[in-house]
Amino acid sequence: MKNVLVVYFSQSGQLKEIADAITGPLEAMQDVDVSFYCIEMEKPFPFPWVKESFFDVFPESFLQIPAQIKPIPQEILDKKYDLVLFHYQVWFLSPSIPANSFLKSPQAKQLLQGVPVVTISGSRNMWFLAQEKIKALLKENGALLKGNIALVDRVGNLISVITIVEWMFSGKKEKHLGIFPLPGVSQKDIDESQKFGHTIGQALQSNHYDDLQEKLLAQDAVRVSPYLVAVDKKGNFIFSKWSAFIIKRTNTRKKWLKVFVVYLVLAIWVISPIVYILHLITYPFKINKIKKTVKYFKTVHSV
Ligand SMILES: Cc1cc2nc3c(=O)[nH]c(=O)nc-3n(C[C@H](O)[C@H](O)[C@H](O)COP(=O)(O)O)c2cc1C
């Protein structure tokens, strides 16, 4: 019997749906036992969000400051796992606070030490550096990263900013905003992600994970846009300054968060189009570097 642990947290249910789709084929296997563990926070985050609380999680998300999670059920801790499917979402270019808090908990090491892990993210589209942060945390826990699947909203970057923010504030994924497309990972991509479950199942059965990521890539598990990677890198640089500044402003935090929001709106609507134009102009001169970047973010290796 092979034991598989599915770790997830989801506010809207999107990531749970993804987890269910991918896990389906594994659950159908006779000699596989699948356990689900939903990360639960001692102090839950609101959903739908209100503007103030949404931006209030920025400093702690970006600085990867963990919050208290509820104790992990003993029946989850008691088993030894052959494979862990770790699902996470991105908050402010970093692993969400629940994902980060779990990975920084002492129990994470107990569950992950020496265990093959497949990471699965369901984000807007900017997961590249968050995945690097996840890689570092997995390494600290002694986990063996063997595969990565990154599910995103495939519409244009600025369109998804509008639709996802509306979704986060209304709580309704199925609600159309005028002529805009539906927010988040498409239902088609969620439903089709069961294909990854078959591939992961084969690796589990044969206990051979060396070519798992290649097989997942052949199934379109990861798409890398060099432009989005460039925005992610610049965003991380800017967020590192803002988060370090705001976290120290205990008395004036609210006021500075408001300033940050104005800056963020400007950055998204003014700076990111400039980055896009610069990216297009410099593209022919950086083609080799860009190819390397794309290749790197498709793999599960670390620099
Ligand atoms: C506070 C917050 C910040 C977010 N920041 C990002 C981000 O930086 N990059 C990104 O691709 N998605 C971002 N998202 C979208 C999430 O990654 C995720 O797709 C969405 O919250 C749905 O996840 P759920 O399964 O928990 O409902 C953010 C969402 C929230 C709530």
Side-chain angles (χ1 to χ4, degrees):
M1 181 62 80
K2 303 251 186 196
N3 286 329
V4 176
L5 176 63
V6 178
V7 181
Y8 72 97
F9 165 83
S10 184
Q11 289 191 301
S12 68
Q14 175 179 274
L15 203 49
K16 173 67 165 57
E17 244 195 280
I18 292 168
D20 284 339
I22 295 181
T23 314
L26 296 166
E27 284 182 298
M29 290 175 171
Q30 276 184 348
D31 53 348
V32 175
D33 182 65
V34 181
S35 308
F36 282 82
Y37 161 56
C38 173
I39 304 165
E40 284 189 81
M41 306 306 295
E42 282 291 357
K43 196 168 159 273
F45 293 98
F47 189 77
W49 294 84
V50 291
K51 195 175 158 198
E52 202 169 287
S53 55
F54 185 86
F55 292 104
D56 191 50
V57 297
F58 158 66
E60 282 75 12
S61 300
F62 188 78
L63 295 169
Q64 294 188 258
I65 298 171
Q68 194 63 43
I69 60 172
K70 285 192 177 167
I72 301 173
Q74 199 55 44
E75 66 262 28
I76 295 290
L77 293 172
D78 281 347
K79 281 190 206 161
K80 180 88 194 97
Y81 297 97
D82 299 284
L83 174 68
V84 172
L85 304 185
F86 183 73
H87 299 75
Y88 73 96
Q89 56 284 91
V90 180
W91 286 4
F92 294 106
L93 309 180
S94 291
S96 68
I97 293 178
N100 182 58
S101 303
F102 165 72
L103 287 175
K104 288 193 171 170
S105 72
Q107 288 81 12
K109 193 167 231 152
Q110 180 188 333
L111 291 167
L112 298 172
Q113 180 91 46
V115 179
V117 172
V118 176
T119 47
I120 297 144
S121 56
S123 70
R124 187 175 71 82
N125 62 16
M126 222 159 276
W127 56 270
F128 310 98
L129 294 209
Q131 177 68 7
E132 293 304 291
K133 298 169 196 179
I134 291 278
K135 280 181 191 170
L137 289 170
L138 289 175
K139 205 169 175 192
E140 276 171 35
N141 284 313
L144 313 169
L145 180 60
K146 297 295 182 185
N148 179 41
I149 298 163
L151 296 177
V152 296
D153 187 329
R154 295 195 197 223
V155 307
N157 185 39
L158 293 179
I159 293 176
S160 67
V161 169
I162 297 172
T163 55
I164 290 199
V165 168
E166 156 64 22
W167 169 32
M168 293 295 109
F169 291 174
S170 72
K172 294 191 181 85
K173 194 183 184 191
E174 63 289 345
K175 195 177 124 194
H176 264 288
L177 188 67
I179 53 159
F180 286 92
L182 286 174
V185 178
S186 72
Q187 198 57 48
K188 182 170 178 282
D189 282 353
I190 294 176
D191 296 341
E192 287 180 1
S193 59
Q194 55 142 321
K195 65 188 174 192
F196 304 126
H198 290 288
T199 309
I200 294 167
Q202 283 163 11
L204 175 71
Q205 297 283 26
S206 60
N207 198 21
H208 180 79
Y209 294 96
D210 288 348
D211 56 357
L212 174 61
Q213 184 61 9
E214 259 169 60
K215 288 185 176 163
L216 291 173
L217 287 179
Q219 293 178 309
D220 204 17
V222 179
R223 286 189 189 185
V224 179
S225 148
Y227 159 64
L228 292 179
V229 174
V231 177
D232 198 346
K233 284 183 177 166
K234 288 201 172 49
N236 264 269
F237 177 76
I238 292 163
F239 280 9
S240 69
K241 307 288 169 209
W242 273 104
S243 56
F245 178 80
I246 294 174
I247 203 83
K248 289 189 206 129
R249 303 290 175 287
T250 29
N251 294 329
T252 50
R253 177 177 168 118
K254 274 191 182 167
K255 187 186 88 187
W256 284 111
L257 278 170
K258 281 186 185 154
V259 181
F260 168 69
V261 174
V262 174
Y263 175 85
L264 191 61
V265 170
L266 277 177
I268 290 170
W269 294 98
V270 180
I271 302 177
S272 85
I274 294 172
V275 173
Y276 186 61
I277 293 164
L278 285 176
H279 171 75
L280 288 183
I281 295 170
T282 55
Y283 192 87
F285 308 105
K286 293 196 298 193
I287 191 89
N288 285 335
K289 197 173 168 234
I290 286 172
K291 273 188 189 159
K292 259 193 198 162
T293 302
V294 170
K295 199 172 164 200
Y296 174 73
F297 284 104
K298 284 188 170 188
T299 67
V300 286
H301 308 137
S302 300
V303 273

